[in-house]
Amino acid sequence: MASVRISIARLKPGMFVVDAGISWLEDPHLYQNEGLIISEAEIKSIKRQGFAEVCYDPTRSQIQALPEDKAAPRTLLSDEIYVARGAFSSAYGHVRSFMQSAACGNVEVAAVEPCLNSIVKSVARNRNALLLLANLKSLDDYMYRHSVNVAIFAVAFGQYLGLEDEELRRIGIAALFHDYGKALLPPNILNAPRKLDASEMQIMRTHVECGYEKLRSSGKFSHEVLSAILQHHERHDGSGYPYQLAGDEIGLYGRIISICDVYDALASKRVYKDAIHPKHALGTLFKMSENAWAPGFAEHFIKMVGIFPIGTAVLLSNGQKGIVCHSEPLSPSLPSVLLVRDCEHGVRPLRLFDLSRQKTVNVNRSLSKTETAYWDIPTLLDSANEEEMA
Ligand SMILES: [Fe+2]
């Protein structure tokens, strides 16, 4: 009997793992050390190493995998975060490499594709893990991190809209390369520690066509990917650039990357501006939505991200504090929150509280950076009770 591929969340003691013969490069998150799994501790160790899936042989196993709940995330957030971190840093390394060699080197898209596969699969298992990393806005170089964040938001939004995996991979590639042309701009404009004046802004805007031309001439990108890159600053009402396209002239991939680009730029700190809180960035998107995107498009994005995006520290109406871990599109104002105890002895996780399952407590407000200065959100999520972090 052929082996069966399952998510790591369904692996149990008594299952016999088999080597499926898939290379590490092709699928770095597939665990393939052949043998019988004997304990939960062994499974925990496999998860900690960043593996997300296994192939097992039912005929050599003492138990069979339970059926998958298609409606639920396929892995726990606390498990998927390890895989997501690997996928994030791999994508970051690729973006840094191809941007740094843009002026003189060949464009190496084939090397990026496995990492896009990892992002698409991670989003399919539990999109909250990569969304959390994109929302945390670590202090890496903005230009590289922004491209990775846009790819994560674009793949997650495409999945939310029901696109197939192959389309998600194309959108992800376009998003990773969407600002490629910026690497070809004069450094004094690209790195100016201030707002650009009008003539500098004109030069900055050339990044769209510069990047498009360079990528097109490499012959390694599909027409759809190139169109998305060319259209990522166009706007629904024709006010964008470089061609003032309007309405349906802008393709779906271009529209997806456009809204993800604006959201991440608003919510990120730059040398010339502070980060806007994710909740307020969503408010700005909503205000822009009348002109910038087709009717209803921004609302879909906001439902996907949640009114309180994953990773947001919040104060509840009962006085408790916590971190948003999950948000259902049908009840975006009532997320699942990891409650934390924040006292003079430190900050530690307590338990998961699903606000959508009760009627008395809601989110009062988001907590500021000052109020959560001592919170190490990834560590708090790591040390939370795994069974509760669905
Ligand atoms: Fe751009």
Side-chain angles (χ1 to χ4, degrees):
M1 183 176 181
S3 66
V4 178
R5 188 166 172 141
I6 56 171
S7 65
I8 209 88
R10 297 166 69 203
L11 182 64
K12 297 286 174 214
M15 288 182 176
F16 193 93
V17 171
V18 291
D19 182 346
I22 297 169
S23 81
W24 182 86
L25 274 179
E26 197 183 324
D27 204 337
H29 306 299
L30 179 65
Y31 181 73
Q32 299 192 84
N33 278 3
E34 197 155 300
L36 187 71
I37 298 292
I38 54 169
S39 68
E40 287 290 351
E42 189 181 356
I43 295 170
K44 199 167 184 175
S45 160
I46 295 168
K47 289 174 178 174
R48 290 285 183 271
Q49 294 168 57
F51 292 104
E53 294 180 306
V54 296
C55 291
Y56 89 104
D57 182 346
T59 61
R60 286 195 275 176
S61 298
Q62 297 157 4
I63 64 163
Q64 306 301 315
L66 294 171
E68 194 166 355
D69 178 359
K70 294 263 194 287
R74 287 160 52 199
T75 55
L76 301 173
L77 177 60
S78 55
D79 292 340
E80 191 61 34
I81 199 76
Y82 293 98
V83 183
R85 278 191 189 130
F88 190 102
S89 64
S90 167
Y92 184 89
H94 281 296
V95 171
R96 184 174 56 195
S97 169
F98 69 64
M99 293 293 254
Q100 286 178 345
S101 60
C104 55
N106 284 328
V107 186
E108 267 314 326
V109 66
V112 183
E113 277 163 3
C115 129
L116 236 300
N117 275 337
S118 297
I119 289 176
V120 169
K121 286 180 178 176
S122 179
V123 164
R125 286 187 297 265
N126 188 337
R127 67 174 180 245
N128 289 335
L130 276 168
L131 286 176
L132 171 70
L133 297 181
N135 283 330
L136 287 180
K137 316 285 180 216
S138 59
L139 296 172
D140 303 313
D141 190 305
Y142 170 78
M143 187 164 74
Y144 310 143
R145 182 177 46 74
H146 171 68
S147 295
V148 178
N149 287 353
V150 173
I152 290 168
F153 288 125
V155 169
F157 190 32
Q159 184 222 36
Y160 176 82
L161 295 173
L163 302 185
E164 298 292 331
D165 281 5
E166 188 50 43
E167 292 187 280
L168 298 180
R169 280 190 281 273
R170 284 200 286 270
I171 290 174
I173 289 283
L176 281 183
F177 282 88
H178 80 282
D179 271 346
Y180 186 77
K182 284 190 178 171
L184 306 167
L185 294 178
N188 63 317
I189 289 186
L190 188 64
N191 303 319
R194 55 181 164 74
K195 267 200 153 171
L196 301 178
D197 65 29
S199 65
E200 290 170 327
M201 188 55 85
Q202 278 305 109
I203 296 171
M204 178 61 96
R205 288 182 165 199
T206 64
H207 79 275
V208 177
E209 287 166 293
C210 286
Y212 169 80
E213 272 309 320
K214 180 101 178 176
L215 297 174
R216 188 190 60 75
S217 62
S218 76
K220 295 173 179 169
F221 293 81
S222 69
H223 171 71
E224 289 157 303
V225 169
L226 290 168
S227 293
I229 292 167
L230 193 58
Q231 294 173 358
H232 79 269
H233 282 290
E234 300 287 1
R235 298 289 181 258
H236 188 69
D237 64 355
S239 65
Y241 64 91
Y243 299 119
Q244 290 78 50
L245 301 180
D248 290 344
E249 291 174 321
I250 309 167
L252 177 62
Y253 295 2
R255 278 183 266 159
I256 288 176
I257 295 176
S258 155
I259 199 164
C260 299
D261 180 33
V262 171
Y263 174 65
D264 188 65
L266 286 169
S268 296
K269 181 176 166 63
R270 308 292 303 277
V271 280
Y272 56 83
K273 75 160 188 76
D274 269 335
I276 299 177
H277 192 282
K279 185 183 167 191
H280 298 133
L282 290 172
T284 305
L285 279 195
F286 191 72
K287 279 186 208 145
M288 290 174 67
S289 65
E290 208 173 299
N291 306 316
W293 302 288
F297 198 66
E299 286 87 336
H300 281 307
F301 183 79
I302 292 167
K303 276 185 185 166
M304 190 274 293
V305 173
I307 291 173
F308 300 98
I310 310 301
T312 304
V314 290
L315 176 68
L316 304 183
S317 58
N318 63 1
Q320 289 188 289
K321 295 175 181 176
I323 301 161
V324 174
C325 293
H326 182 73
S327 180
E328 280 296 328
L330 291 177
S331 52
S333 62
L334 294 170
S336 288
V337 173
L338 174 67
L339 298 177
V340 301
R341 172 167 293 160
D342 182 5
C343 63
E344 59 192 47
H345 303 298
V347 187
R348 68 178 183 86
L350 292 174
R351 65 183 175 88
L352 199 69
F353 184 19
D354 184 352
L355 272 64
S356 68
R357 294 193 177 182
Q358 50 80 58
K359 290 182 177 161
T360 53
V361 181
N362 50 41
V363 178
N364 209 334
R365 65 178 174 84
S366 309
L367 294 167
S368 69
K369 282 226 158 57
T370 317
E371 290 173 296
T372 57
Y374 299 105
W375 292 29
D376 180 345
I377 290 177
T379 305
L380 285 167
L381 292 172
D382 276 356
S383 51
N385 182 340
E386 289 189 9
E387 294 310 311
E388 299 213 53
M389 296 287 291

